[in-house]
Amino acid sequence: GQTATHPDIATSLNNLGGVWRHLGDYRKAISYHEQALQMRYSIYGDTAVHPLIATSLNNLGVTWSKLGDHRKAASNYEQALKMHRSIYGQTKAHSHIAGSLNNL
């Protein structure tokens, strides 16, 4: 149903956000990415550290950057970086950490 919460639904919302971003409708993309993020927090917990939550934060950062709101983009990138470092280690080389640093 419309109120169902499931990891696959969150992934679909995330994917729709990506498609709308690539089509240039950044506001619609933000909406889908925010829905994906909220669903992932609902699934994994509001204080959870999870790779898919970090992915949603990163995708929001990319989209805010496309809209020219670099403060919101940086905030999302920094949250994603912090989460990636918590997951993979503060000093370990990992492609997700490198991606977050590159985005900043």
Side-chain angles (χ1 to χ4, degrees):
Q2 289 291 327
T3 59
T5 300
H6 190 277
D8 291 344
I9 296 171
T11 297
S12 293
L13 291 166
N14 181 69
N15 292 344
L16 284 164
V19 168
W20 285 112
R21 184 177 66 239
H22 290 294
L23 290 172
D25 191 335
Y26 303 126
R27 294 284 176 196
K28 193 174 274 191
I30 289 288
S31 175
Y32 280 109
H33 285 311
E34 285 178 343
Q35 289 177 66
L37 178 62
Q38 292 310 311
M39 187 170 291
R40 286 173 170 166
Y41 276 130
S42 177
I43 293 165
Y44 302 112
D46 289 337
T47 60
V49 173
H50 193 280
L52 292 176
I53 293 172
T55 295
S56 288
L57 290 165
N58 185 72
N59 289 340
L60 278 166
V62 170
T63 310
W64 281 118
S65 182
K66 293 282 190 182
L67 277 169
D69 193 330
H70 300 293
R71 286 192 191 279
K72 284 185 181 177
S75 175
N76 281 279
Y77 289 146
E78 287 170 349
Q79 290 176 70
L81 175 61
K82 182 179 178 183
M83 197 166 288
H84 283 135
R85 284 185 166 157
S86 292
I87 295 165
Y88 303 112
Q90 293 293 320
T91 58
K92 183 178 178 188
H94 192 279
S95 61
H96 289 151
I97 292 171
S100 292
L101 289 168
N102 182 65
N103 288 337
L104 284 166

